[in-house]
């Protein structure tokens, strides 16, 4: 017997379009294609996601972003995971959008961006309760003030990630969203604009419309699956993988 995996790119296209229809035309879709697009094949998936209307992509590590750039993909690519200051060069060289969580990382990126004559877009992640990378809410404003004072960096966005949004009880997710909103307001009151705010993973994209903000970050939804059985069926999804 021969077994093989088949990936239906038309299903991916349909899923992106269903997500965009669900969140509305004013909300951007950032397709999460980390870990080889959840094992589906990152280059064809990334191209399908963008062609279907997604504005941005997200990966976990700089080398994943470099892979996209080498394939000719030019859309904005957010690197969501930690990167050492020594890895800053790849973000600058390939115009990736790193997530900054220390002044040292910001300074390393600033030096390299200035040498390259570039203005590098960067974002900051707030840890509102997941405890997986990001700065604490009280650390956000000082860090962002430091970033905005450095040449070569363009503070583009602020985001967070939910810890338990795929559970039926959304109380913790709503508490996280409240912390995020309070932090964003503090930053804006200090006179710093936040062009893009985003928080919604697949679950929040489906079940928490108040978390859609400027952009949603669907991951497993792109591939046609719900995050858990406790998530509603309000978005029609088509599984992309068959065995």
């Amino acid at each position: 017997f021969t077994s093989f995996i088949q990936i239906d790119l038309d299903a991916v296209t349909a899923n992106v379009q269903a997500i965009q229809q669900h969140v509305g035309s004013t909300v951007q879709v950032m397709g999460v294609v980390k870990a080889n697009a959840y094992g589906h094949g990152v280059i064809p998936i990334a191209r399908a996601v963008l062609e279907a209307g997604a504005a941005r992509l997200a990966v976990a590590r700089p080398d994943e972003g470099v892979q996209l750039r080498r394939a000719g993909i030019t859309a904005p690519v957010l690197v969501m995971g930690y990167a050492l200051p020594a890895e800053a060069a790849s973000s600058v060289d390939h115009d990736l959008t790193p997530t900054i969580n220390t002044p040292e990382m910001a300074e390393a990126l600033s030096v390299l961006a200035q040498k390259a004559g570039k203005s590098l877009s960067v974002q900051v992640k707030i840890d509102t309760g997941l405890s997986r990378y990001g700065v604490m809410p009280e650390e956000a404003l000082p860090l962002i003030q430091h970033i905005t004072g450095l040449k070569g960096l363009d503070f583009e966005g602020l985001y967070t990630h939910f810890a338990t949004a795929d559970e039926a009880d959304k109380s913790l997710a709503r508490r996280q969203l409240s912390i995020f909103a309070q932090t964003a307001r503090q930053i804006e009151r200090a006179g710093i604009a936040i062009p893009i705010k985003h928080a919604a993973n697949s679950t929040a994209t489906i079940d928490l419309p108040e978390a859609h903000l400027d952009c949603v970050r669907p991951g497993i939804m792109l591939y046609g699956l719900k995050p858990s059985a406790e998530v509603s069926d309000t978005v029609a999804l088509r599984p992309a993988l068959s065995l």
Side-chain angles (χ1 to χ4, degrees):
F1 295 98
T2 300
S3 298
F4 63 93
I5 287 174
Q6 181 170 296
I7 305 297
D8 182 356
L9 293 178
D10 289 339
V12 175
T13 296
N15 293 336
V16 173
Q17 291 172 343
I19 293 165
Q20 189 70 74
Q21 183 176 10
H22 179 69
V23 301
S25 60
T26 61
V27 178
Q28 293 185 8
V29 173
M30 180 188 295
V32 179
V33 294
K34 63 183 180 179
N36 193 29
Y38 291 45
H40 290 69
V42 67
I43 301 306
I45 291 292
R47 287 176 176 150
V49 166
L50 292 168
E51 288 169 7
R56 299 166 176 271
L57 299 172
V59 295
R61 304 188 315 272
D63 61 299
E64 295 176 321
V66 172
Q67 185 181 2
L68 294 172
R69 291 290 186 249
R70 287 177 174 164
I73 291 168
T74 59
V77 176
L78 174 66
V79 179
M80 299 185 293
Y82 177 69
L84 293 167
E87 297 177 282
S90 63
S91 291
V92 175
D93 292 344
H94 297 278
D95 296 312
L96 305 176
T97 303
T99 298
I100 293 179
N101 76 334
T102 65
E104 292 76 16
M105 184 177 182
E107 289 157 10
L109 288 165
S110 172
V111 169
L112 290 168
Q114 289 180 77
K115 285 182 180 178
K118 293 181 176 181
S119 179
L120 183 71
S121 294
V122 301
Q123 297 200 20
V124 170
K125 181 181 180 183
I126 308 299
D127 180 4
T128 57
L130 178 62
S131 299
R132 186 184 72 188
Y133 193 53
V135 300
M136 299 305 293
E138 62 272 17
E139 299 170 341
L141 178 56
L143 176 61
I144 293 168
Q145 287 173 324
H146 187 66
I147 290 169
T148 57
L150 294 172
K151 294 180 179 178
L153 301 185
D154 177 21
F155 173 61
E156 176 190 72
L158 189 76
Y159 71 104
T160 194
H161 194 77
F162 294 116
T164 61
D166 55 350
E167 298 176 3
D169 182 358
K170 299 292 191 290
S171 57
L172 177 56
R174 290 191 171 95
R175 187 156 67 249
Q176 285 188 256
L177 187 60
S178 176
I179 293 169
F180 180 73
Q182 291 170 17
T183 306
R185 283 194 296 271
Q186 181 188 29
I187 293 163
E188 290 169 332
R189 282 197 297 267
I192 300 171
I194 307 173
I196 302 170
K197 289 176 276 203
H198 52 106
N201 55 2
S202 289
T203 301
T205 297
I206 297 171
D207 282 347
L208 282 174
E210 63 267 40
H212 290 171
L213 307 179
D214 301 307
C215 182
V216 295
R217 297 191 313 271
I220 198 168
M221 284 181 77
L222 299 177
Y223 314 102
L225 300 174
K226 294 197 306 178
S228 79
E230 296 180 82
V231 176
S232 69
D233 294 310
T234 52
V235 181
L237 300 172
R238 288 169 49 187
L241 185 150
S242 58
L243 178 65

